[in-house]
Amino acid sequence: MSEKNLDKKIIDIFREKEKVNIGYIVAGYPSVDFTKQFLQNLDNTALDMLEIGIPYSDPLADGKLISHASFLASEAGVTTDTVFDLLTEVKNDISKPLIFLIYYNLIFAYGIDEFIKKCCEANIKGIIIPDLPYEEAFEMSEKLRENNIALIPLVSVTSGNRMRKIISQGDGFIYAIGSLGVTGSKQVDLPRLESFINEIREVSDLPVSLGFGIKTNDNVNTMRKYADGVIVGTSIVEFTQKNDVDYVIQKINELFK
């Protein structure tokens, strides 16, 4: 096994690369074995970092396809512990930063301190929590910062005056939601998107990555004109339905070429 840089942080990737490619998968979908094989081959993909969704019964930010994948993984018995065990097993095979996308109820049920401890053991570099409001995020952000894990803030075109506050808790990069709906929704028009990104840059020096509604290579190349990173979720989860790691890698590499 080649030497891996297991200590590389999210912000280091943005410093090294002009544009950053970020993907998303649902842990345990379509199977735990598929997720394991994909993670072991992550370094063969065009992705610079990977978001891993932990299955949850009520994924409010996710569109139909990702919600269904999450439901199927949950029904198959994939739990937070399943994901931690898997990541701990394969972490030495991965040099690219891993990010959890997880709903706060799962963290709360697990116990914040124990959850963060397990994240450190699994070499998680960042966490996105869609249902954690700014007013309740301070404890989480402080504890994550103490453990060198980035709390990645989510802001949308509707965040308005709350944007500065939301971003103030964040590290790593800013996740800019480019649509008015859940994952897989149609994006807002490009002039509004450009204005939105400019608004973010006025209040933060963190890199900005665009997600939601980015599905094709054309979408990716268009969004690269506006943001430092591009996030694709729904299309990649759709690729994983084939349960074929080589196929998924090929499609990801075509998506981000």
Side-chain angles (χ1 to χ4, degrees), residues 92-195:
N92 291 327
D93 298 326
I94 305 166
S95 68
K96 299 178 179 183
L98 301 179
I99 300 164
F100 272 156
L101 193 150
I102 181 170
Y103 290 87
Y104 186 68
N105 276 353
L106 290 175
I107 300 173
F108 183 77
Y110 206 90
I112 293 176
D113 291 335
E114 182 65 14
F115 178 80
I116 293 175
K117 175 176 174 286
K118 290 277 194 174
C119 284
C120 293
E121 292 171 357
N123 206 34
I124 294 297
K125 297 301 185 184
I127 298 181
I128 301 166
I129 312 175
D131 59 342
L132 182 63
Y134 159 78
E135 289 81 5
E136 300 174 25
F138 182 77
E139 178 186 12
M140 194 74 195
S141 66
E142 286 297 298
K143 289 188 174 187
L144 289 173
R145 193 169 285 128
E146 289 168 5
N147 287 276
N148 296 311
I149 299 173
L151 179 61
I152 296 163
L154 284 158
V155 295
S156 76
V157 290
T158 60
S159 293
N161 295 332
R162 290 176 56 81
M163 184 183 295
R164 186 185 296 271
K165 289 182 177 180
I166 295 168
I167 289 172
S168 70
Q169 300 273 23
D171 292 300
F173 66 87
I174 296 165
Y175 193 132
I177 299 172
S179 73
L180 294 175
V182 294
T183 54
S185 301
K186 185 179 179 181
Q187 285 201 313
V188 297
D189 60 78
L190 292 180
R192 180 68 188 96
L193 198 63
E194 183 175 18
S195 174

Side-chain angles (χ1 to χ4, degrees), residues 24-253:
Y24 169 89
I25 63 167
V26 175
Y29 178 81
S31 69
V32 172
D33 187 58
F34 171 87
T35 303
K36 178 180 178 180
Q37 289 184 50
F38 179 75
L39 289 170
Q40 289 174 321
N41 286 278
L42 182 62
D43 286 358
N44 297 324
T45 73
L47 297 175
D48 298 303
M49 58 186 77
L50 178 69
E51 295 176 16
I52 300 171
I54 297 184
Y56 182 53
S57 59
D58 189 24
L60 56 88
D62 296 323
K64 183 177 180 180
L65 192 147
I66 292 177
S67 293
H68 185 60
S70 184
F71 172 78
L72 291 176
S74 294
E75 285 288 290
V78 177
T79 66
T80 307
D81 275 326
T82 307
V83 180
F84 277 133
D85 291 344
L86 171 60
L87 291 179
T88 301
E89 183 180 351
V90 302
K91 68 178 182 180
N92 291 327
D93 298 326
I94 305 166
S95 68
K96 299 178 179 183
L98 301 179
I99 300 164
F100 272 156
L101 193 150
I102 181 170
Y103 290 87
Y104 186 68
N105 276 353
L106 290 175
I107 300 173
F108 183 77
Y110 206 90
I112 293 176
D113 291 335
E114 182 65 14
F115 178 80
I116 293 175
K117 175 176 174 286
K118 290 277 194 174
C119 284
C120 293
E121 292 171 357
N123 206 34
I124 294 297
K125 297 301 185 184
I127 298 181
I128 301 166
I129 312 175
D131 59 342
L132 182 63
Y134 159 78
E135 289 81 5
E136 300 174 25
F138 182 77
E139 178 186 12
M140 194 74 195
S141 66
E142 286 297 298
K143 289 188 174 187
L144 289 173
R145 193 169 285 128
E146 289 168 5
N147 287 276
N148 296 311
I149 299 173
L151 179 61
I152 296 163
L154 284 158
V155 295
S156 76
V157 290
T158 60
S159 293
N161 295 332
R162 290 176 56 81
M163 184 183 295
R164 186 185 296 271
K165 289 182 177 180
I166 295 168
I167 289 172
S168 70
Q169 300 273 23
D171 292 300
F173 66 87
I174 296 165
Y175 193 132
I177 299 172
S179 73
L180 294 175
V182 294
T183 54
S185 301
K186 185 179 179 181
Q187 285 201 313
V188 297
D189 60 78
L190 292 180
R192 180 68 188 96
L193 198 63
E194 183 175 18
S195 174
F196 172 46
I197 299 297
N198 289 337
E199 289 169 17
I200 296 172
R201 296 198 192 283
E202 287 175 5
V203 298
S204 177
D205 292 329
L206 285 174
V208 180
S209 294
L210 265 169
F212 285 50
I214 302 172
K215 300 178 182 179
T216 67
N217 176 252
D218 284 344
N219 294 156
V220 167
N221 286 322
T222 298
M223 294 308 110
R224 282 173 173 156
K225 299 173 184 176
Y226 301 95
D228 305 298
V230 178
I231 305 165
V232 179
T234 300
S235 289
I236 293 177
V237 174
E238 188 172 14
F239 300 153
T240 66
Q241 290 177 336
K242 284 199 97 171
N243 200 13
D244 182 334
V245 171
D246 290 337
Y247 170 81
V248 174
I249 291 172
Q250 176 190 338
K251 298 300 287 186
I252 288 173
N253 290 345

